[in-house]
Amino acid sequence: MAQFIIDRSDLDFLLFEKFKVQTLSETKKFSDFNQKVIEMVVTEARNLAIKEILPTSPIGDKVGCRFENGEVILPEEFHHVWKLLRAGEWFVPTANEEWGGQGMPKSVALAARDYINGANIALFMIAGLSHGAGCVIEQFGTREQKNLYLKKIYSGEWATAMHITESESGSDLTRISTTAEPRPDGKYSLCGSKIFITGGHHTLTKNIIHLVLARIKGAPEGSQGLSLFLVPGFHVDEKGRCGEKNDIICTGIEEKMGLHASPTCSMSLGSRYECLGTLLGEKNKGLYAMFSMMNDARLLVGSQGHASASSSFLLALNYAKTRVQGSIPGIKSTHREDNQIRIIDHPDVRRMLLTMKAYTEGMRSILFYIAFCQDQKQVTNNESQKETFQNLIDFLIPIGKGYVTDRAVKVCDMAIQVFGGYGYTNEYPVEQILRDVRITTIYEGTNGIQAIDLFNRKLTMKKGRLFKTLITEIEKTLSEAKNLESLKPLAAKFEKMVSRFEKVVKLMSRTPEHSSDILKARSLSGPFLHITGDIILAWMLLWRAHVAQKQLDKATPKKRKAFYQGQMESARFFIENIGPITMGRMDSIMDSGDSVLRISTDAFGGR
């Protein structure tokens, strides 16, 4: 059964009608990327994803990766795909051309990445880390470090891995115990162990460049004393040639619920002889440097979640259009004498499919809007506009990771329900997609951490200017929607949601950090992330509907007209059907009890 991953019509709608990415070609920085070139890039990525990468996903799921004699063995088919990704320069197409990138707009690269991501997220999780690692080296590295590593990372000749988590620290980075001791030659000797390291070891490349958070001996306790180090798997000479093996080794891999072919490694540094690395950036400022990579990784995870949801929706839609089962009084079959109907004609299935459609289109819009803001920030010379775009990016990152992946899991779960019993078997790919996507709510900062980041940091950053910038942009869409008669009632309903949302934010924002109410507010950060995501997704769908309505009357052919009508119905369904649920969640926050804090540990039950 074909898996289409992304609806190309919807992708083109976002790129060329909603965000008008082709206009970036009018700027000096992106002058090479006109609409024809963008279409070619997306087509090439789609062909590669469907013809070459997609067939490796079920193979990876069944074969998985093996740990043998200290080596991590991936499916042989992955090596072929890696070569194709290298040949097409798909690893970091947005990178600076000086270091081997293509200087591609982030929105265009995201369109391509969605196809590649959706085809095999286990493989692309390894490949996708190259972008963030390279950007950290580009921003904080010395000229020597850039010359040694960047081109080989960006080309896929070498891979990268991000070493943060330790068994005793988990998400609490203040407790990281890996140490770094300075040497007379300017290098550092590292010692410690890390867990849950994606791509910590494999044989896809000859070298893996590890970015390791560690504490220089004598540095302050807590996160203020962490530094970042570049640790090559094999030592590299001044000409970029690999030499002897460094003492950074894989001690085992995790057996996981999903992503069977993505190696999740336990790593040991300096346990046998000496693990050598070089300082990346300033001493004791490693967390700041690492978070520039973390933000990129979080958006990659959001993209994984969205691509999985999109694939699940399209698979369920295709199945519902072809699967015949049951009959309903008043509904006639168009092609069967026994009056059996397609399951897409059953109202409950239609409800599930429309829910999936609305979420998928909204999630795609959120991620593309972040990429759009990143592109616009690069091309504008207006400092005030740069700040506006950065405010939006900063506020939306926990939404793009946390909210998108939470909703992606919901969409993938719903796809199994549409398939019924068949969805629970491995005869169809939806069960694998659900197992694979489940991790996206956990890694690169659990969604609980994303919720705390939104509530604790993003609401109060710059004295609340991030939130004010968001509301200003939402109000622009509301104003435009009100000017169209067909959208006035919908805009009015959404306006009530926004008004209630502002009251919730006002309540949450005025909770003093050290007051007794802060714990109660923190207990509500998860629900707050979800209502914020709902508001932003509803905004994106209304924006889509506004663009579609203006095109509807002149749209040809019939299929395109139906596409625009579909945009209208997605917005109506979400605001009219999901919106009241969001309003109820906001009421819950406004009038919440404190049972979460009052209940004693013993009162939970258990042993």
Side-chain angles (χ1 to χ4, degrees):
M1 183 177 178
Q3 181 185 21
F4 298 104
I5 308 173
I6 305 291
D7 184 342
R8 179 63 187 270
S9 295
D10 195 67
L11 205 56
D12 288 345
F13 172 75
L14 272 187
L15 288 171
F16 306 126
E17 296 183 66
K18 183 175 180 181
F19 294 124
K20 294 183 170 57
V21 173
Q22 69 275 23
T23 60
L24 288 171
S25 63
E26 298 168 8
T27 67
K28 183 179 179 181
K29 183 171 182 61
F30 298 123
S31 59
D32 292 337
F33 292 92
N34 58 35
Q35 184 163 338
K36 185 176 180 180
V37 170
I38 295 170
E39 289 173 344
M40 182 183 69
V41 168
V42 175
T43 298
E44 287 297 317
R46 183 182 186 277
N47 291 339
L48 175 65
I50 292 175
K51 294 177 182 177
E52 301 287 353
I53 305 177
L54 182 59
T56 68
S57 184
I59 294 171
D61 186 57
K62 289 180 174 65
V63 174
C65 45
R66 307 189 314 277
F67 183 66
E68 295 180 359
N69 301 318
E71 296 290 337
V72 177
I73 312 300
L74 297 183
E76 186 59 36
E77 291 81 0
F78 281 26
H79 292 263
H80 172 66
V81 170
W82 194 275
K83 290 177 182 177
L84 294 176
L85 290 169
R86 283 199 63 193
E89 300 181 342
W90 291 111
F91 286 96
V92 192
T94 59
N96 192 320
E97 292 169 277
E98 178 185 0
W99 305 111
Q102 300 177 46
M104 188 182 293
K106 290 183 183 293
S107 48
V108 179
L110 176 59
R113 187 172 73 181
D114 273 355
Y115 277 112
I116 297 171
N117 242 337
N120 188 338
I121 67 172
L123 173 62
F124 200 69
M125 189 60 209
I126 304 171
L129 292 173
S130 298
H131 181 270
C135 287
V136 174
I137 296 171
E138 206 171 332
Q139 184 176 354
F140 299 99
T142 64
R143 191 70 192 183
E144 181 184 7
Q145 288 172 328
K146 294 176 187 178
N147 288 335
L148 281 179
Y149 298 118
L150 275 180
K151 284 189 177 181
K152 294 190 176 184
I153 289 174
Y154 284 159
S155 70
E157 182 178 347
W158 293 348
T160 63
M162 180 167 57
H163 291 245
I164 299 179
T165 308
E166 297 178 5
S167 58
E168 295 302 316
S169 64
S171 298
D172 183 5
L173 303 186
T174 63
R175 300 184 65 189
I176 283 178
S177 61
T178 298
T179 60
E181 189 167 354
R183 290 163 35 110
D185 61 2
K187 293 183 179 179
Y188 287 79
S189 178
L190 287 92
C191 185
S193 60
K194 300 283 184 177
I195 62 168
F196 296 157
I197 308 304
T198 299
H201 188 61
H202 54 78
T203 55
L204 289 172
T205 60
K206 292 181 179 179
N207 206 354
I208 300 174
I209 310 304
H210 307 268
L211 278 73
V212 181
L213 267 183
R215 195 180 306 279
I216 298 173
K217 287 192 174 181
E221 294 296 317
S223 59
Q224 294 83 4
L226 294 174
S227 298
L228 185 61
F229 297 88
L230 275 176
V231 181
F234 286 87
H235 293 297
V236 180
D237 67 17
E238 65 277 2
K239 293 185 178 180
R241 295 174 300 199
C242 291
E244 295 181 354
K245 180 83 173 70
N246 202 356
D247 190 17
I248 179 168
I249 61 171
C250 176
T251 57
I253 58 175
E254 302 295 338
E255 297 295 329
K256 306 189 294 293
M257 171 182 172
L259 289 187
H260 293 158
S262 176
T264 305
C265 304
S266 301
M267 304 294 293
S268 175
L269 297 81
S271 61
R272 300 174 302 171
Y273 39 98
E274 192 171 29
C275 176
L276 299 180
T278 55
L279 182 68
L280 180 57
E282 297 181 46
K283 292 179 182 179
N284 304 333
K285 293 187 178 180
L287 205 56
Y288 173 72
M290 181 62 90
F291 264 101
S292 65
M293 182 179 181
M294 282 291 291
N295 285 337
D296 184 81
R298 285 170 175 174
L299 293 176
L300 169 63
V301 172
S303 177
Q304 286 180 326
H306 155 254
S308 299
S310 179
S311 295
S312 293
F313 165 59
L314 292 175
L315 284 163
L317 178 63
N318 191 46
Y319 183 78
K321 286 180 176 180
T322 55
R323 171 69 167 161
V324 175
Q325 187 177 3
S327 60
I328 296 179
I331 298 180
K332 282 192 173 185
S333 173
T334 57
H335 56 289
R336 290 177 65 102
E337 292 182 3
D338 60 3
N339 214 32
Q340 292 283 296
I341 60 173
R342 299 173 302 169
I343 64 171
I344 196 172
D345 293 321
H346 288 273
D348 188 56
V349 173
R350 295 174 75 83
R351 175 192 60 81
M352 288 190 287
L353 289 171
L354 189 48
T355 302
M356 296 166 73
K357 179 180 188 294
Y359 274 125
T360 300
E361 291 171 351
M363 289 188 291
R364 184 175 299 134
S365 285
I366 290 170
L367 293 171
F368 271 85
Y369 184 64
I370 295 172
F372 167 82
C373 290
Q374 290 171 326
D375 288 336
Q376 293 298 321
K377 185 190 171 189
Q378 287 191 71
V379 299
T380 183
N381 293 318
N382 185 303
E383 290 303 317
S384 176
Q385 289 180 349
K386 281 183 185 290
E387 183 183 14
T388 293
F389 290 124
Q390 190 59 54
N391 287 348
L392 291 166
I393 294 165
D394 288 339
F395 192 90
L396 290 172
I397 282 174
I399 304 300
K401 194 283 181 183
Y403 176 82
V404 165
T405 57
D406 271 345
R407 292 299 182 253
V409 171
K410 177 177 180 177
V411 169
C412 293
D413 181 62
M414 203 171 283
I416 290 180
Q417 198 70 20
V418 172
F419 274 85
Y422 281 118
Y424 197 64
T425 70
N426 60 17
E427 183 173 345
Y428 293 95
V430 287
E431 63 87 25
Q432 180 196 335
I433 296 173
L434 179 59
R435 285 187 288 105
D436 286 350
V437 78
R438 185 60 183 84
I439 188 61
T440 62
T441 67
I442 299 171
Y443 63 10
E444 309 308 345
T446 67
N447 286 358
I449 290 174
Q450 306 305 314
I452 291 171
D453 177 47
L454 178 66
F455 163 65
N456 254 21
R457 292 183 64 241
K458 301 305 172 63
L459 275 187
T460 56
M461 273 178 68
K462 299 181 181 178
K463 298 181 179 180
R465 286 208 301 274
L466 273 63
F467 176 71
K468 291 174 184 175
T469 300
L470 176 77
I471 292 298
T472 297
E473 296 304 310
I474 290 175
E475 287 173 345
K476 289 178 185 177
T477 302
L478 269 170
S479 178
E480 291 174 342
K482 288 177 185 176
N483 289 331
L484 294 179
E485 285 297 323
S486 59
L487 289 179
K488 270 186 179 180
L490 199 62
K493 290 181 180 180
F494 178 54
E495 192 169 32
K496 289 181 180 178
M497 291 175 63
V498 175
S499 177
R500 181 78 56 86
F501 178 54
E502 289 184 274
K503 291 178 181 177
V504 171
V505 169
K506 187 175 181 180
L507 176 69
M508 297 282 281
S509 299
R510 69 181 180 213
T511 305
E513 177 64 31
H514 301 291
S515 75
S516 58
D517 290 334
I518 192 63
L519 291 179
K520 179 179 176 182
R522 281 199 171 196
S523 75
L524 297 170
S525 60
F528 179 70
L529 174 78
H530 289 149
I531 65 166
T532 304
D534 281 353
I535 292 293
I536 293 169
L537 192 136
W539 167 37
M540 290 292 147
L541 293 179
L542 184 64
W543 187 352
R544 278 171 165 262
H546 179 260
V547 175
Q549 181 60 65
K550 292 196 295 184
Q551 300 291 334
L552 196 53
D553 293 335
K554 55 185 179 183
T556 57
K558 183 179 178 182
K559 189 173 182 181
R560 194 62 185 167
K561 198 176 186 75
F563 172 84
Y564 290 132
Q565 290 170 337
Q567 298 303 304
M568 305 292 291
E569 295 305 334
S570 290
R572 287 194 185 103
F573 175 79
F574 192 87
I575 293 172
E576 293 176 352
N577 294 71
I578 308 297
I581 298 173
T582 306
M583 294 286 272
R585 287 184 178 136
M586 287 192 275
D587 287 345
S588 175
I589 288 178
M590 297 283 283
D591 193 30
S592 63
D594 58 357
S595 294
V596 170
L597 303 178
R598 287 171 58 86
I599 185 170
S600 69
T601 301
D602 290 339
F604 277 102
R607 295 179 65 181

